[in-house]
Amino acid sequence: NAGVMQNPRHLVRRRGQEARLRCSPMKGHSHVYWYRQLPEEGLKFMVYLQKENIIDESGMPKERFSAEFPKEGPSILRIQQVVRGDSAAYFCASSPNLQPFSGNTIYFGEGSWLTVV
Amino acid sequence: TQLLEQSPQFLSIQEGENLTVYCNSSSVFSSLQWYRQEPGEGPVLLVTVVTGGEVKKLKRLTFQFGDARKDSSLHITAAQTGDTGLYLCAGAGVSSGSRLTFGEGTQLTVNP
């Protein structure tokens, strides 16, 4: 887990508010992934980004969710008008190259736990 | 949709016993990873297997990738209390590119 930094680690939002989760990948990594882990469920892919590009957002809910990875600064996962069902752990991961699963390593951060009250 | 089924979902054993966790799918994966996750933390990669039939060992842990690259197993020899945790398998699909499909995990408890 060393190197992938996520903040905040814990976030409480009231229904209807916005949540912003940040992820700084490991040094030298230009590929970022976001996964969501709902209570008592496995991790589900949300989105894959490279600098200034969304490569695959097939796992993102169509509404209220967006992600970006700007040229400078961390990747941000933004959830607008949060609802109780958005309560989950959101994990960011990073990898150094185009094909991270051909034997190369993907590193996960420690997660951001969102609670919607 | 690719699915990975892990079994058993829960496993409670005594220290010193051996155990095997299974990860099965009807889909072919280009690679498969095993992770361990502690409460309140992110998954930590244990191993990646890429070649059908591949076997990798990590101290007391042995990982195997099925010949057809549809299934995998994790075997722990002489379990220790420190092995307690959630074990997750995750597959990278042949056509899904960067997406990992995760199993729902096996919660292992090793009792002293």
Side-chain angles (χ1 to χ4, degrees), chain A residues 9-39:
Chain A
R9 290 294 315 280
H10 298 275
L11 181 64
V12 179
R13 283 289 178 265
R14 296 185 190 278
R15 281 178 294 172
Q17 290 185 319
E18 178 180 285
R20 283 192 181 217
L21 310 177
R22 296 173 192 80
C23 169
S24 295
M26 283 189 70
K27 187 177 181 180
H29 288 192
S30 58
H31 300 255
V32 165
Y33 314 82
W34 285 94
Y35 285 79
R36 177 166 66 173
Q37 188 173 36
L38 292 166

Side-chain angles (χ1 to χ4, degrees), chain A residues 7-116:
Chain A
N7 71 83
R9 290 294 315 280
H10 298 275
L11 181 64
V12 179
R13 283 289 178 265
R14 296 185 190 278
R15 281 178 294 172
Q17 290 185 319
E18 178 180 285
R20 283 192 181 217
L21 310 177
R22 296 173 192 80
C23 169
S24 295
M26 283 189 70
K27 187 177 181 180
H29 288 192
S30 58
H31 300 255
V32 165
Y33 314 82
W34 285 94
Y35 285 79
R36 177 166 66 173
Q37 188 173 36
L38 292 166
E40 308 302 324
E41 293 188 17
L43 282 87
K44 297 288 193 294
F45 170 82
M46 298 182 76
V47 63
Y48 162 40
L49 310 104
Q50 295 176 25
K51 287 281 188 182
E52 299 184 282
N53 283 306
I54 297 174
I55 307 302
D56 180 355
E57 56 181 349
S58 58
M60 286 275 275
K62 294 286 185 279
E63 298 177 350
R64 303 189 296 107
F65 285 72
S66 62
E68 63 176 8
F69 189 15
K71 187 176 180 181
E72 301 290 336
S75 174
I76 295 174
L77 180 67
R78 181 183 178 203
I79 311 171
Q80 295 178 288
Q81 298 175 333
V82 296
V83 301
R84 287 218 172 112
D86 297 333
S87 296
Y90 292 83
F91 291 98
C92 171
S94 73
S95 67
N97 58 27
L98 189 59
Q99 293 184 341
F101 307 121
S102 57
N104 295 315
T105 300
I106 180 172
Y107 293 93
F108 279 83
E110 295 201 330
S112 290
W113 267 256
L114 171 65
T115 302
V116 180

